[in-house]
Amino acid sequence: MALILHAILLSVLLGSLCSADHSLNEPDLKLEDLPAIDLDYLSMSQGPHCMLPLTHYLFEHVAEIPSLAEAMSRSLADSPLRLQSLFYHSFQLLSASAGGFGPPLPGTGTSVSVNSPNELQARMESHGWVVDGMGEWENLPFEFRKAVVENLLAFQKAAVVFEAFAAPVRSYLAESGASTPEEMTGALLLPWTHKELHVFPPLELPGQVDLRKLSLAARLMSSHLDDFFRLRGIEIPAGFSGCSLKSPLGEVLISGTGEDTIAGEHLLVVETGGDDLYLRPAATSLPDACALSIVVDLKGDDRYLGKDHSLLAAILGMTVLLDLEGNNEYSSGWPGLSFALYGSSLLFDAKGNDTYVSHADYSQAAAIIGTALLVDKEGDDHHLCRSHSLAFGGTLGVGIFYDHQGDDRYNTGTNRSPEESQGQSFIQGLSLIHISE
């Protein structure tokens, strides 16, 4: 059985400055019928000061929300291994899908593929990427190295678009005087953590960002990540001890098949096997750090521990964690485990009996100004969370939780439960649930 939860907050900080007739004649809602939801690039004449068409429509047709939930759930269920599609469908809910049509932004270009070892080396040299441990790198299968390089090329394009999205947010943070990651995160969360505000910039900021750019950046970032699904069974040379690659965007770490401890800031981590320990700040982007952070773990029973900080949080950034096999433990002490605030985040666990423990609100597919997804393909899992979690959509945010199969438990008694008997609110998709055989 599959369980899909998704939520979108049907209120925005800005009123509509435009008017349009979004009525439908069909009595039963179909995804392709929704106004503007099926367009890949919205008209540039409709600026951010207009109410989103889907939001406007659902306000006027509340009875259609269950039909939307069903249609969107089926779209998600049809594309669980296509990460671009997952991001695309999540932004459809915001009527901000982008990337298929319309003029490309400067610096994005077209997708680039690498077809030979010589071409791969030429690409690396042309971009100034430096390998530490060249012997280990060259011993890796060509298909593996090809996937790493093509993903880096995609990340570069995604970073150009994301910075265009992030520009007004960075200007706001500079004017706010916030200097540490904690202060910056607090400044961005002000409208949702304070009942009374005496300054207006935090309220005006959501209307200054263009979600179409975030949508396009997320699709560019994930355009080659699917390649790692094909590499699950690839044979890594015996004795491979790891190597790293330095790029202008950040460091790429490729670890060996032993039991490794991964810590520090990385653009991309590819773990080839072993029972590993991930510490701060795994797959986490913060306003003062690299905007992209991706972790791919091919196999092993791993522990992702962030009890005193965030794990898999996209705060003014984009983050992805792909774990393709193993019984894993995920733990975050701050908003995390796929949390997005002015960003996009995805946690994808393909196989294994896993435990997800959140010691803070806003976790496990929770988003404000952006999208957050948690996909668990199979296994008997245990989810423990606090409020505003498990598919929570805040202002201009979409949270999607998709569990395909397994005997799962949610917030049941355990000694590791956050606050044991705490009552949770705004969890599990705000009752937008789809279960199918």
Side-chain angles (χ1 to χ4, degrees):
M1 300 182 72
L3 171 64
I4 303 178
L5 310 173
H6 42 85
I8 175 172
L9 186 68
L10 300 181
S11 61
V12 293
L13 293 181
L14 297 176
S16 173
L17 298 184
C18 59
S19 61
D21 182 8
H22 298 298
S23 60
L24 298 179
N25 296 323
E26 296 291 335
D28 296 323
L29 181 69
K30 297 179 181 178
L31 192 62
E32 59 269 22
D33 292 332
L34 286 170
I37 198 172
D38 212 34
L39 296 179
D40 269 349
Y41 209 93
L42 299 181
S43 167
M44 293 302 293
S45 64
Q46 182 173 314
H49 293 286
C50 295
M51 182 174 287
L52 299 177
L54 176 59
T55 305
H56 190 179
Y57 176 83
L58 292 177
F59 264 126
E60 297 180 349
H61 302 81
V62 175
E64 298 287 10
I65 292 178
S67 297
L68 169 66
E70 181 72 14
M72 184 58 67
S73 294
R74 295 195 184 282
S75 296
L76 291 166
D78 288 341
S79 55
L81 297 181
R82 297 192 296 272
L83 303 185
Q84 268 195 319
S85 296
L86 292 176
F87 278 117
Y88 174 69
H89 290 312
S90 68
F91 279 99
Q92 276 187 309
L93 282 169
L94 291 174
S95 291
S97 55
F101 301 96
L105 291 175
T108 62
T110 57
S111 178
V112 177
S113 61
V114 177
N115 300 309
S116 70
N118 289 337
E119 184 181 355
L120 183 146
Q121 184 62 32
R123 291 282 183 188
M124 294 176 61
E125 291 176 356
S126 67
H127 289 281
W129 301 342
V130 179
V131 175
D132 184 5
M134 181 62 76
E136 295 294 304
W137 167 256
E138 293 181 340
N139 283 335
L140 289 169
F142 170 69
E143 286 300 317
F144 189 98
R145 289 180 287 146
K146 168 184 166 74
V148 171
V149 169
E150 288 182 347
N151 271 281
L152 278 178
L153 293 172
F155 296 164
Q156 287 186 160
K157 293 178 174 60
V160 172
V161 182
F162 182 82
E163 286 307 316
F165 162 80
V169 186
R170 297 198 189 283
S171 296
Y172 160 72
L173 290 174
E175 294 173 0
S176 73
S179 58
T180 67
E182 293 81 4
E183 290 175 349
M184 293 180 182
T185 302
L188 294 177
L189 277 172
L190 272 178
W192 299 277
T193 57
H194 288 66
K195 294 183 178 180
E196 293 186 11
L197 289 176
H198 303 285
V199 291
F200 293 104
L203 294 173
E204 297 169 347
L205 184 59
Q208 298 171 4
V209 296
D210 188 345
L211 287 171
R212 294 167 297 180
K213 294 176 182 177
L214 178 59
S215 171
L216 177 56
R219 294 185 69 189
L220 288 170
M221 172 190 64
S222 57
S223 59
H224 284 278
L225 283 175
D226 295 1
D227 295 343
F228 288 108
F229 292 123
R230 297 186 292 100
L231 297 176
R232 279 186 286 188
I234 198 168
E235 186 175 346
I236 301 297
F240 174 72
S241 59
C243 58
S244 63
L245 189 156
K246 292 179 173 59
S247 78
L249 277 183
E251 183 180 7
V252 176
L253 174 65
I254 305 174
S255 296
T257 57
E259 297 183 356
D260 301 310
T261 297
I262 311 296
E265 296 180 1
H266 299 93
L267 168 64
L268 172 65
V269 173
V270 182
E271 174 56 54
T272 58
D275 300 338
D276 308 306
L277 172 63
Y278 290 84
L279 301 174
R280 183 179 185 178
T284 294
S285 65
L286 296 171
D288 66 336
C290 178
L292 278 68
S293 184
I294 296 94
V295 170
V296 179
D297 192 291
L298 300 183
K299 63 181 66 175
D301 298 336
D302 308 306
R303 292 182 296 156
Y304 300 87
L305 303 183
K307 188 172 182 179
D308 298 326
H309 48 268
S310 287
L311 171 72
L312 192 59
I315 302 172
L316 194 56
M318 300 187 296
T319 62
V320 175
L321 194 164
L322 300 181
D323 192 290
L324 304 185
E325 184 179 326
N327 302 321
N328 305 314
E329 176 184 351
Y330 303 92
S331 175
S332 182
W334 283 22
L337 302 189
S338 194
F339 167 66
L341 176 64
Y342 290 94
S344 292
S345 184
L346 167 66
L347 194 168
F348 191 108
D349 189 287
K351 184 178 181 180
N353 303 324
D354 311 303
T355 300
Y356 302 83
V357 182
S358 301
H359 296 274
D361 297 341
Y362 301 107
S363 192
Q364 300 188 40
I368 300 173
I369 320 293
T371 63
L373 304 93
L374 195 165
V375 178
D376 193 292
K377 282 289 292 177
E378 63 178 272
D380 300 336
D381 309 309
H382 194 179
H383 294 264
L384 302 164
C385 69
R386 294 183 59 176
S387 299
H388 304 90
S389 300
L390 268 178
F392 169 77
T395 305
L396 294 180
V398 170
I400 296 176
F401 171 64
Y402 175 22
D403 190 286
H404 184 66
Q405 65 181 36
D407 184 8
D408 306 309
R409 295 175 293 158
Y410 301 91
N411 281 7
T412 55
T414 171
N415 291 332
R416 288 191 293 176
S417 170
E419 289 76 44
E420 287 295 337
S421 60
Q422 180 211 347
Q424 292 82 17
S425 60
F426 294 100
I427 68 170
Q428 295 191 337
L430 297 175
S431 298
L432 292 183
I433 300 174
H434 172 67
I435 301 177
S436 63
E437 296 293 341

